[in-house]
Amino acid sequence: MDHFLYRDGVLYAEDVPVAEIAAQVGTPFYVYSSATLLRHFRLFDEALAGMDHLVCFAMKSLSNQAILHLLAEAGAGMDVVSGGEYARAVAAGVPSDRIVFSGVGKTRIEMRQALQGGIRQFNVESEPEMHALSAVAVELGKIAPITIRVNPDVDAKTHAKIATGKSENKFGVPISRAREVYALAASLPGLEVIGIDVHIGSQLTDLAPFEAAYLKVAELTEQLRADGHTIKRLDLGGGLGIPYQQINEAPPSPQDYGALIKRTVGHLGCEIEIEPGRLISGNAGLMVSKVIYVKDGADRQFLIIDGAMNDLIRPAMYDAHHDIVPVVQPAPGADQATYDIVGPICESGDTFAKGRSMAQVGPDDLVAFRSAGAYGAVMASEYNSRPLIPEVLVHRDQFAVIRARPTFDEMIARDIIPVWV
Ligand SMILES: *Cc1c(COP(=O)(O)O)cnc(C)c1O
């Protein structure tokens, strides 16, 4: 459920007509619903009730300061994957003991930054990383709390680019070698082993791969404890999928997921951490765009809109589907049309949908991409010198621009011409 619904024939974001935002900020833009963000965060929080737990928002899915602040106020921690994300989390007021550092290629600079600023734990992914982190910690006179990310060799059955839990993926240490790697960690002076981490992929629409992975983690917990390690925290990653099509899709709910966690690892007495991104932010955002032209091709109609692949790259990069709906609700029985929906960029990859049936629209009509809150704005670029599009946050009948569209001058001013050119 989200808070983007038709009311009196027009699309609303909570209690604000989407067209009113478009009139004020111009198109294209992203708009997020605070009620949806908070609702999704709380669903996870409640699903783990009764267990000692922390829900760390995977902020790579949506990292605007306003969003981080909103979720942190509600009690969320943050899962960060770069020094930039760490800085963003701290700037948004997230307490450092609620920040978890993930990622396969942390640099020593990033390690130093997080150790000095404070960190809940590092999720370490390799032996070379362990050596580096231990050395940095010793240098600073600190001890780095760590979990080790294990790769359980489980097929997440999701898009190849976002599957991370198979042995051929670059992530984590093979679970078969975990005991040896934990032994090494225990021997390094700058590290304190506190738990296990696992994350098998994104947009999982079935609980079975989670179950397979978490059962392996449960077994490993007991083995590692028998080996003398302290395993008091399990970071179970993110990855729960969302419905991108309103019809025919019903991925498992956070409640089902929480019940699965209790069933598989609940008996171990560990503190549970999860790192959902997409499920919190995905359906909390729209990208709103305007039709420029309707063009007749040889055998099809093109709907050319002012949003493009640089603004929302998921269709081009992951063959992702977004429902695209007119902002003015089509009357019952309104004429339908079939479009290839495309942006203005000179690449055929700049295609959002092919052969999409929808109510007929015309030039200057607004269309909204649903489920665009996650991996939308954060993956945007200024390709074709199209300025990053604004982000807007709605709360009931109020809305605020939370990132403004740069002017052309601001965009150009970031470049520097050396005197010798
Ligand atoms: C991407 C990622 C997540 C979040 O994945 P979602 O599918 O957005 O829930 C969580 N943890 C790690 C380590 C990740 O890389």
Side-chain angles (χ1 to χ4, degrees), residues 146-164:
I146 66 158
T147 69
I148 296 175
R149 178 168 175 180
V150 294
N151 185 323
D153 196 20
V154 165
D155 185 351
K157 298 198 168 61
T158 183
H159 190 281
K161 286 185 185 164
I162 50 175
T164 58

Side-chain angles (χ1 to χ4, degrees), residues 81-266:
V81 293
S82 71
E85 284 197 349
Y86 179 87
R88 275 185 178 275
V90 170
V94 182
S96 62
D97 63 0
R98 280 200 249 143
I99 303 176
V100 169
F101 208 136
S102 296
V104 69
K106 300 174 202 79
T107 64
R108 286 168 184 252
I109 294 172
E110 290 171 325
M111 293 168 177
R112 204 166 288 129
Q113 176 191 4
L115 280 169
Q116 279 171 331
I119 190 82
R120 180 178 181 80
Q121 99 238 2
F122 292 91
N123 295 333
V124 173
E125 299 216 15
S126 67
E127 288 143 299
E129 184 191 344
M130 276 170 14
H131 284 290
L133 181 59
S134 176
V136 173
V138 167
E139 202 179 283
L140 295 174
K142 299 201 184 264
I143 300 285
I146 66 158
T147 69
I148 296 175
R149 178 168 175 180
V150 294
N151 185 323
D153 196 20
V154 165
D155 185 351
K157 298 198 168 61
T158 183
H159 190 281
K161 286 185 185 164
I162 50 175
T164 58
K166 281 290 284 176
S167 56
E168 71 254 31
N169 300 130
K170 69 183 176 185
F171 301 97
V173 300
I175 199 161
S176 54
R177 291 193 47 236
R179 293 173 74 183
E180 183 189 327
V181 177
Y182 271 85
L184 171 65
S187 75
L188 292 173
L191 306 183
E192 183 197 0
V193 171
I194 59 167
I196 306 174
D197 172 45
V198 69
H199 170 75
I200 57 174
S202 197
Q203 187 51 21
L204 273 70
T205 51
D206 181 0
L207 288 181
F210 286 117
E211 177 150 21
Y214 296 170
L215 287 172
K216 288 189 181 194
V217 167
E219 194 188 324
L220 180 63
T221 303
E222 282 167 358
Q223 278 174 354
L224 292 174
R225 282 177 172 168
D227 290 347
H229 300 288
T230 301
I231 304 295
K232 59 184 181 190
R233 185 178 294 164
L234 300 178
D235 183 331
L236 300 174
L240 195 58
I242 62 169
Y244 277 97
Q245 311 199 31
Q246 280 196 306
I247 43 169
N248 298 333
E249 267 191 296
S253 66
Q255 290 89 331
D256 298 341
Y257 177 67
L260 167 73
I261 290 175
K262 283 184 192 161
R263 198 165 67 236
T264 51
V265 299

Side-chain angles (χ1 to χ4, degrees), residues 39 46 127 155 226 230 254 293 296 315 351 390 396 421:
R39 176 172 180 276
E46 286 158 16
E127 288 143 299
D155 185 351
T230 301
Y293 299 117
D296 289 321
T351 298
R396 299 199 181 130
V421 165

